Amino acid sequence: MAVVTLTIDGKPVSARAGESVLAAAAEAGIRIPTLCHLDGVSEAAACRLCLVQVEGRGRLQAACVTAAAEGMVVRTQTDTLREYRKMILELLFAEGNHVCAVCVANGNCELQAAAADLGMDHVRYPYLNPVRPVDVSHAQYAVDHNRCILCTRCVRTCDEIEGAHTWDVAGRGTLSHLIADMGQPWGESATCTSCGKCVQSCPTGALFRQGSTVAEMTKDREKLGDLVLARREKKWTV
């Protein structure tokens, strides 16, 4: 397999041809923040938190969908990038209803952790305070649309790992929202297998197991990784 050599934050890094800058950086121990990336499923470039600077390119590039190339020079930690990432997080907090103090994922939330890492201590933009529902129609799980950041991890996990494609995104702009099947309550979905993989993939407290209380929701990412590996190695036939 062809190998390319690039430089990330001044460090020489080798990558497989076609591999993303995000993956190459991760293998070299260089962490680039992201909320929509999830190992084992396709990339969506939805959150834009992994933006990096590539020498010779006029625009910031999403590391998750930018292929590593021979001689590429990448910067992942600059004042400009930190300011962009902080702005993205502030906008996510402003357009949703993220109240950490009463969230099931408090202390286990990737959005919350990213904000802490970047030193985000306030939001400079007006809160939209949207009116969004909470769907508790499913027997085991629930979805709180107030906490959804539309990263589409659940959509891709349900489609590509479980093969059910229960979840999708409807609407446009600020009206975009997660839907089950054709928009019916989750508990009435004809395709949901109640596997819970979507819940495990969610970076926030938007998808959670019913009965969870504040800060109780933890995610078992290894479960998804094991499933991806088993499918790749054809340990069963679906």
Side-chain angles (χ1 to χ4, degrees):
M1 180 178 290
V3 175
V4 299
T5 302
L6 63 160
T7 303
I8 303 179
D9 292 342
K11 179 179 180 179
V13 172
S14 295
R16 293 178 290 277
E19 191 173 39
S20 72
V21 170
L22 183 69
E27 289 182 16
I30 299 170
R31 180 180 171 276
I32 301 175
T34 177
L35 289 171
C36 66
H37 169 80
L38 185 68
D39 287 340
V41 297
S42 61
E43 302 291 359
C47 72
R48 315 302 289 179
L49 207 60
C50 70
L51 289 174
V52 296
Q53 291 177 306
V54 179
E55 198 169 280
R57 299 190 185 181
R59 296 189 302 177
L60 299 178
Q61 309 287 312
C64 63
V65 291
T66 299
E70 183 66 34
M72 178 183 276
V73 177
V74 180
R75 296 181 184 85
T76 73
Q77 301 294 332
T78 66
D79 290 342
T80 298
L81 290 171
R82 278 189 284 274
E83 194 54 37
Y84 266 103
R85 289 168 183 161
K86 190 179 291 187
M87 178 186 70
I88 290 167
L89 290 173
E90 289 181 37
L91 290 171
L92 287 174
F93 274 90
E95 71 180 11
N97 295 311
H98 300 281
V99 185
C100 300
V102 296
C103 180
V104 294
N106 188 12
N108 301 298
C109 171
E110 293 180 45
L111 176 64
Q112 183 186 45
D117 285 346
L118 283 169
M120 195 198 91
D121 54 10
H122 68 286
V123 174
R124 293 169 290 179
Y125 308 100
Y127 286 94
L128 298 183
N129 298 315
V131 178
R132 294 177 177 174
V134 179
D135 181 355
V136 294
S137 61
H138 195 282
Q140 301 178 53
Y141 308 110
V143 53
D144 185 344
H145 293 275
N146 296 284
R147 303 168 182 158
C148 180
I149 58 172
L150 294 175
C151 66
T152 70
R153 277 190 186 181
C154 57
V155 175
R156 289 172 283 144
T157 297
C158 184
D159 184 31
E160 299 171 21
I161 297 181
E162 179 62 10
H165 200 115
T166 297
W167 294 111
D168 215 327
V169 174
R172 302 185 66 180
T174 57
L175 298 179
S176 299
H177 61 284
L178 201 61
I179 59 169
D181 287 349
M182 298 300 289
Q184 59 262 54
W186 189 3
E188 298 177 14
S189 167
T191 60
C192 178
T193 62
S194 301
C195 68
K197 295 184 183 69
C198 57
V199 177
Q200 294 300 326
S201 69
C202 179
T204 69
L207 293 168
F208 58 98
R209 180 179 289 278
Q210 289 206 39
S212 302
T213 188
V214 175
E216 275 193 350
M217 189 67 197
T218 58
K219 307 292 173 67
D220 182 7
R221 299 274 186 261
E222 291 185 4
K223 176 182 176 182
L224 293 178
D226 290 345
L227 288 169
V228 171
L229 183 61
R231 175 160 294 186
R232 187 179 302 153
E233 295 180 352
K234 302 184 186 305
K235 291 184 176 179
W236 67 74
T237 302
V238 178

